Amino acid sequence: MTKKKIILAGVCAAAVLAVAGGYLLSEKGGAAGQPTGAGGQRGPGGAMGQQASVTVVKAAAPVRGDISQSTSLTGTVEAADLVYVSAKAAGDVTSVKVKAGDLVSQGQVICEIDTGQVESAQNSMESAQVNLAQARNNLSRMQVLYGGGDLSEQEYEQYVNAVKTAQLQYESARLAYGKQMEYSKVTAPISGRVESCDVETYGRVSQSSQLCVIAGDGESRITFYVTQRMMQNLREGDGVEVYKNGNTYKGAISEISSMVDEGSGLFKVKAQVEGTDEIAIGSTVKLSLVTQRAENAMLVPVDAIYYSGGDGYVYLYQDGVAQKRQVEVGLYNSEYAEVLSGLGEEDLVVSTWSSNLYEGATVRLRDQAGDENQGQPSGESPKSQAQEGGAVPEGQGQPSGESPKGQAQEGGAVPEGQGQPSGESPKGQAQEGGAVPEGQPSGDGQGGEAPAGGSRGPRA
């Protein structure tokens, strides 16, 4: 009876060692990342891992074309004709005829100023007019005497000169009176709109103080400033787009200053813009204009350009492999970038941006890839990859949520957490080899408890 118990214990121990040996062999194969199937050949898991690393891209040769680069700036709206009306003499304002926003005609009275000089100038003019009339009368009487020989030629010339002097004095007085009248009645020098009016009735104004601002009729203009590099690429007549209140207005450059502005250190540019009547004079607007151009340039998609340390590079497609190539980038816009050097006309540039690209990466052109399951061998299913004892690497070829049924039916251990639904224990993994407690490692000599949901095995 004792001998039978000894034999039975030996048989059980042999079974446990067999199961442990199978588990260790499986662990060794999984750690190397080369699960083996029947006959010692590499299982399908390795092939799937290599296939998944292939990046599908698009590639095309560079093209020739024109490219331009636009710059966004801010500008100020000004009237094409803007006049600042000032007082030419000091005095008290007796009346104001206009207000801001009014339309005025050339010569229309804006305000009246009592300069205190009008009456004096008028008296001087009238006095000079009387003197002129008296001198003319004297000359008329002397002409009769001179004609009868009763007056010498020298005396007659004195009367003639007196008339000339009186005439000059009258003209001077008349001009002085006219000036005083002009100073006292301020008129509009041009037709247009009164943009501002800074004068009030009964107010006091000094000489040269500003009274109002009149914007002339016609198109508005935009004033903005550019750098020297931009200025060198601008020409009169170049188009400008102006944006304000959700509207876009077209215009053209009318004037480019070649002298640096003292206040900004930049170059002043003016552009005529059409249809901006609803934009108030003095408003700030956004504008866009072309500041750089290149003709017949080598162009590639802008997404094909990568940068490292400020230097540009692209990836070329060469026989299924991505090759890195340094390039010099010129102008660029939202679609294309100019390549100044580093590429040939026959090079195939990868235009698909991908974080998986690197020097020597395996790539496949999009038109060569399958419509479905790009990178997956046609007709091959990842199911039952471990049915012959090969372990499936974590996450490779295993449909989401599908448990690896039958992975340990031939004694192969399932790596911890790989392809195993959360919380499900690998029941029956050692049912054919001995009475190993559920969820415990088979003969690994650790004696510890395995994590819930999987046996202790190789970790990814």
Side-chain angles (χ1 to χ4, degrees):
M1 199 66 185
T2 303
K3 185 176 182 181
K4 290 182 180 181
K5 291 182 179 180
I6 295 174
I7 294 174
L8 181 59
V11 172
C12 292
V16 172
L17 291 175
V19 173
Y23 170 79
L24 291 175
L25 289 176
S26 175
E27 181 178 6
K28 181 178 181 181
Q34 299 179 355
T36 57
Q41 297 180 355
R42 185 186 298 265
M48 286 298 297
Q50 294 179 356
Q51 194 69 18
S53 64
V54 177
T55 303
V56 179
V57 298
K58 292 190 299 183
V63 297
R64 288 284 178 179
D66 300 339
I67 187 172
S68 61
Q69 185 170 347
S70 299
T71 303
S72 296
L73 301 170
T74 58
T76 304
V77 180
E78 296 180 353
D81 296 321
L82 195 66
V83 178
Y84 297 86
V85 182
S86 302
K88 296 181 180 179
D92 297 326
V93 179
T94 58
S95 66
V96 178
K97 306 294 185 180
V98 298
K99 62 181 181 300
D102 289 349
L103 295 176
V104 296
S105 301
Q106 184 177 4
Q108 180 177 338
V109 176
I110 295 176
C111 64
E112 295 181 352
I113 302 174
D114 182 9
T115 62
Q117 303 294 327
V118 176
E119 293 182 358
S120 176
Q122 183 177 6
N123 292 334
S124 298
M125 183 188 67
E126 292 176 352
S127 176
Q129 187 176 12
V130 171
N131 293 335
L132 175 61
Q134 184 177 0
R136 286 175 177 175
N137 291 331
N138 292 334
L139 179 61
S140 297
R141 289 193 302 268
M142 293 301 107
Q143 284 179 343
V144 175
L145 297 176
Y146 179 71
D150 295 330
L151 188 66
S152 66
E153 183 176 356
Q154 183 177 4
E155 291 175 337
Y156 178 73
E157 288 181 356
Q158 291 178 354
Y159 286 100
V160 173
N161 292 334
V163 172
K164 293 180 179 179
T165 301
Q167 182 70 35
L168 291 175
Q169 290 176 349
Y170 171 73
E171 292 295 334
S172 176
R174 187 175 64 84
L175 291 176
Y177 174 72
K179 287 292 185 182
Q180 291 300 323
M181 289 296 295
E182 179 183 352
Y183 296 163
S184 63
K185 290 185 178 182
V186 181
T187 59
I190 61 172
S191 299
R193 183 187 300 274
V194 178
E195 298 296 337
S196 66
C197 186
D198 302 326
V199 60
E200 296 180 357
T201 305
Y202 308 120
R204 178 77 180 178
V205 295
S206 59
Q207 186 177 3
S208 300
S209 61
Q210 181 176 308
L211 303 178
C212 64
V213 179
I214 301 176
D217 296 333
E219 300 175 351
S220 300
R221 68 184 180 191
I222 309 297
T223 300
F224 56 95
Y225 296 87
V226 298
T227 63
Q228 183 175 4
R229 179 183 61 81
M230 295 180 183
M231 187 268 292
Q232 293 173 349
N233 294 314
L234 297 180
R235 301 290 183 272
E236 290 187 10
D238 288 351
V240 175
E241 290 188 350
V242 178
Y243 311 99
K244 185 67 174 180
N245 299 328
N247 298 322
T248 302
Y249 306 90
K250 301 291 184 180
I253 294 177
S254 59
E255 182 181 338
I256 302 175
S257 177
S258 58
M259 184 174 64
V260 176
D261 181 75
E262 294 182 359
S264 63
L266 302 173
F267 295 86
K268 188 176 183 179
V269 181
K270 297 180 180 179
Q272 297 292 131
V273 183
E274 301 177 356
T276 57
D277 295 339
E278 65 273 16
I279 302 180
I281 302 299
S283 299
T284 300
V285 296
K286 293 182 179 180
L287 57 95
S288 175
L289 71 161
V290 176
T291 54
Q292 290 184 331
R293 300 177 180 86
E295 298 179 354
N296 195 29
M298 178 180 290
L299 306 177
V300 298
V302 69
D303 289 339
I305 305 293
Y306 296 77
Y307 291 92
S308 176
D311 298 327
Y313 63 93
V314 299
Y315 287 104
L316 304 182
Y317 176 84
Q318 295 181 353
D319 299 329
V321 177
Q323 299 293 336
K324 186 176 179 180
R325 178 76 61 84
Q326 296 288 337
V327 294
E328 182 181 358
V329 182
L331 303 181
Y332 60 89
N333 53 30
S334 60
E335 296 182 1
Y336 293 98
E338 177 191 14
V339 176
L340 301 177
S341 62
L343 286 183
E345 300 285 349
E346 70 286 350
D347 290 331
L348 290 180
V349 180
V350 175
S351 59
T352 303
W353 190 95
S354 175
S355 59
N356 295 327
L357 290 177
Y358 54 89
E359 175 70 21
T362 302
V363 294
R364 177 183 296 177
L365 293 181
R366 181 165 305 223
D367 54 2
Q368 296 178 357
D371 294 337
E372 297 180 359
N373 296 328
Q374 294 179 355
Q376 177 70 29
S378 177
E380 182 176 349
S381 171
K383 296 180 181 180
S384 303
Q385 289 183 351
Q387 290 180 359
E388 300 297 330
V392 181
E394 180 179 351
Q396 294 187 3
Q398 182 64 34
S400 175
E402 182 177 344
S403 62
K405 298 179 180 179
Q407 288 184 350
Q409 291 179 1
E410 300 297 331
V414 180
E416 179 181 344
Q418 296 185 2
Q420 183 69 26
S422 175
E424 182 179 343
S425 63
K427 297 179 180 180
Q429 289 183 352
Q431 291 178 2
E432 296 187 8
V436 180
E438 180 178 320
Q440 285 286 344
S442 303
D444 58 0
Q446 299 298 327
E449 183 177 356
S455 61
R456 187 185 300 272
R459 299 182 182 270

